[in-house]
Amino acid sequence: MGHKRHFLQHAVTNNRTDPNSSFYPAIFFSVLSSNSNKPTLNPFVAPLGSSVVLPCYVDELLLMEGLEVEWRRTDSGTLVHLYQDGESRPESQQQDYHNRAYFFTDEIQHGNFSLRLDNLRAEDEGQYTCRVYSQQDSGSSRSISASVGEDVTLNCSVNSHITPEHIEEVSWKKTDEDENILVLLYQNNGTLSDSSDERYRDRVEFFTSEIFKGNFSLRLKRVRTDDKGVYMCQVFAGGLSANATVVLGQLGESTDK
């Protein structure tokens, strides 16, 4: 399957002559949620020269791996702002929006991709679209290599509004042809190390301080030749779920003397 897409469209029109406006001159914003069965408009007014927030939220558990968020002008296709590879990319935005368009970086992990546009200009009128691309349904996996005897990190991060207390379960399993081997389990706000298969016990751990940021990556210590294979991370939270697959292959010999 391809990338999963979500989008919200924002219609922005110039309203400099509206007698009901609290400000003059001003820009009139109306927000249309296009992923609703009955789209509703929520108009509000902001004065020229001020700031405005265009809302964009995703009510779904998303994998950080491969996550991309675009804000564009739908009338011209102009890139207003971009979030890619775990960070904002202001160098990619169109020149007119430099130092004027921002994400709320601390809120991205909660599924908030709203855009703040500063120093409003008359030419800002138009339509704006927020698109969120996620690879969670694409079936893609990430391959990594390691040397025997070293430690390696298997990545699994989610991006969502789900709070830590709503995390129901996170599991890492090695998916062999005939069986699923439980590598490590997180439940009830704690790591259940005793539930790990004996082949992995005392060799695997979560990055505990990162769990509350949605990072469920696994550290596999003292890699062995029989560790080679496919590993799946599954996250269940608030009735939603996401999964990531990591292939550990190309095991080389340790360079340690």
Side-chain angles (χ1 to χ4, degrees):
M1 298 178 64
H3 283 60
K4 189 164 187 178
R5 301 183 181 186
H6 312 262
F7 69 94
L8 298 174
Q9 183 168 287
H10 304 269
V12 185
T13 57
N14 197 312
N15 194 36
R16 292 188 294 274
T17 60
D18 184 353
N20 296 319
S21 294
S22 300
F23 306 95
Y24 180 88
I27 293 180
F28 175 77
F29 290 84
S30 57
V31 180
L32 172 65
S33 175
S34 60
N35 57 357
S36 171
N37 291 329
K38 295 182 178 180
T40 56
L41 289 173
N42 299 297
F44 53 97
V45 176
L48 292 175
S50 71
S51 300
V52 70
V53 175
L54 301 181
C56 178
Y57 302 92
V58 175
D59 188 20
E60 186 170 337
L61 203 61
L62 300 177
L63 290 175
M64 288 291 287
E65 185 74 22
L67 181 67
E68 180 177 321
V69 184
E70 286 184 354
W71 273 94
R72 289 185 180 271
R73 291 281 298 263
T74 53
D75 51 351
S76 62
T78 298
L79 181 62
V80 179
H81 207 31
L82 175 69
Y83 178 88
Q84 191 178 54
D85 298 328
E87 61 184 19
S88 292
R89 299 289 182 179
E91 71 279 3
S92 300
Q93 65 191 163
Q94 205 271 345
Q95 183 68 36
D96 289 345
Y97 293 98
H98 278 189
N99 301 317
R100 292 205 303 131
Y102 305 92
F103 286 125
F104 296 88
T105 307
D106 294 342
E107 291 296 314
I108 284 178
Q109 65 181 7
H110 302 300
N112 181 356
F113 304 111
S114 300
L115 180 79
R116 191 185 86 231
L117 183 58
D118 293 340
N119 190 23
L120 292 177
R121 306 169 182 172
E123 55 267 28
D124 289 333
E125 69 176 7
Q127 288 190 335
Y128 293 76
T129 301
C130 169
R131 283 188 170 89
V132 181
Y133 301 89
S134 170
Q135 290 186 358
Q136 69 185 81
D137 290 334
S138 66
S140 61
S141 61
R142 180 181 181 185
S143 297
I144 60 174
S145 59
S147 296
V148 173
E150 73 176 9
D151 297 350
V152 67
T153 299
L154 309 184
N155 291 315
C156 177
S157 298
V158 299
N159 182 85
S160 173
H161 72 293
I162 300 296
T163 53
E165 57 268 24
H166 289 123
I167 297 172
E168 300 157 16
E169 179 180 299
V170 180
S171 66
W172 272 98
K173 296 178 181 178
K174 185 180 181 187
T175 57
D176 285 353
E177 293 182 359
D178 300 326
E179 61 179 338
N180 288 332
I181 303 170
L182 182 60
V183 177
L184 193 57
L185 180 67
Y186 180 92
Q187 275 183 343
N188 301 320
N189 297 318
T191 302
L192 305 181
S193 300
D194 291 343
S195 64
S196 297
D197 184 274
E198 61 181 8
R199 284 166 282 188
Y200 292 97
R201 203 166 297 168
D202 300 324
R203 290 201 301 131
V204 289
E205 63 185 12
F206 288 113
F207 295 84
T208 308
S209 62
E210 294 292 310
I211 283 179
F212 299 123
K213 299 177 184 178
N215 183 355
F216 300 104
S217 298
L218 178 80
R219 188 200 305 275
L220 174 57
K221 303 177 181 178
R222 304 182 299 280
V223 169
R224 308 188 312 212
T225 55
D226 59 353
D227 289 334
K228 185 176 181 179
V230 179
Y231 294 79
M232 178 173 286
C233 168
Q234 292 181 301
V235 181
F236 299 92
L240 304 173
S241 64
N243 63 74
T245 302
V246 181
V247 180
L248 177 59
Q250 301 178 8
L251 296 184
E253 296 297 324
S254 175
T255 57
D256 296 338
K257 300 295 184 180

